[in-house]
Amino acid sequence: MEDTEKIRTLAEPVIEECGVHLYDIEWVQNGKDRTLQISIIRDDGTMDLDTCAAVSERLSEALDSANVIASAYTLEVCSPGAERKIRDLSELASLPYVYVRLKHPVSHLLEFTGQVESYQDGTVTLSYRDKAVKKHVSFADTEIDFIRYAVQF
């Protein structure tokens, strides 16, 4: 697969000229077909189809003219999704609704889905529902094995 850092260097300025930010670059292989998947996002965490199409058009031109990808591929510009992985725990300061899997059980559970109540001094406090009862749990951020945004119903 082509070097994603070269692609990132070329793509970031084009994407930012469109008023959005690069979230991720990933090569997806499906049999013989290769797809360059580029996820973009606005500052407020949203994205729409028209913006994805506009960025795709501009990015396609830039990638073709720079000739950084040697073989055939499909370009897909998309949103990272509502349930995207949280890459930087500073995002917890906005107190999102999250799914978290821990390295070791807390209150006899490894997984929680709930509202971040606070994130201070390396400690995360969540409120979550256990059946009809609202509960709270706190754990060290070093205990997080995986964390992503969650859709609240």
Side-chain angles (χ1 to χ4, degrees):
M1 298 281 172
E2 277 75 14
D3 184 5
T4 55
E5 282 310 308
K6 288 180 184 176
I7 295 168
R8 179 180 303 277
T9 301
L10 178 71
E12 278 184 325
V14 174
I15 292 169
E16 294 201 2
E17 283 175 18
C18 295
V20 294
H21 303 286
L22 176 64
Y23 183 81
D24 195 19
I25 296 176
E26 183 178 358
W27 281 104
V28 178
Q29 188 80 37
N30 187 9
K32 293 181 181 180
D33 298 330
R34 296 180 336 134
T35 301
L36 176 59
Q37 206 173 60
I38 297 185
S39 303
I40 57 175
I41 194 165
R42 287 195 182 96
D43 287 335
D44 65 1
T46 64
M47 187 44 53
D48 62 80
L49 194 55
D50 291 337
T51 303
C52 287
V55 170
S56 179
E57 193 172 311
R58 298 266 320 271
L59 202 48
S60 181
E61 292 170 5
L63 289 168
D64 289 348
S65 65
N67 215 12
V68 293
I69 302 172
S71 57
Y73 69 99
T74 301
L75 175 63
E76 178 182 302
V77 176
C78 58
S79 160
E83 292 191 335
R84 64 188 168 273
K85 182 178 178 181
I86 294 175
R87 297 177 166 197
D88 182 352
L89 292 180
S90 68
E91 294 178 54
L92 296 180
S94 65
L95 306 178
Y97 194 74
V98 299
Y99 162 82
V100 63
R101 182 177 60 233
L102 302 174
K103 295 174 185 173
H104 303 98
V106 173
S107 300
H108 306 290
L109 297 171
L110 275 173
E111 300 176 322
F112 296 92
T113 301
Q115 182 71 42
V116 176
E117 299 254 320
S118 68
Y119 176 52
Q120 296 176 350
D121 302 322
T123 299
V124 179
T125 302
L126 284 180
S127 64
Y128 68 100
R129 292 238 176 247
D130 184 8
K131 299 179 185 166
V133 179
K134 185 176 183 179
K135 295 185 176 184
H136 300 273
V137 64
S138 294
F139 49 86
D141 60 8
T142 56
E143 282 298 306
I144 296 172
D145 183 44
F146 176 80
I147 187 166
R148 67 167 167 77
Y149 288 96
V151 175
Q152 188 171 9
F153 295 100

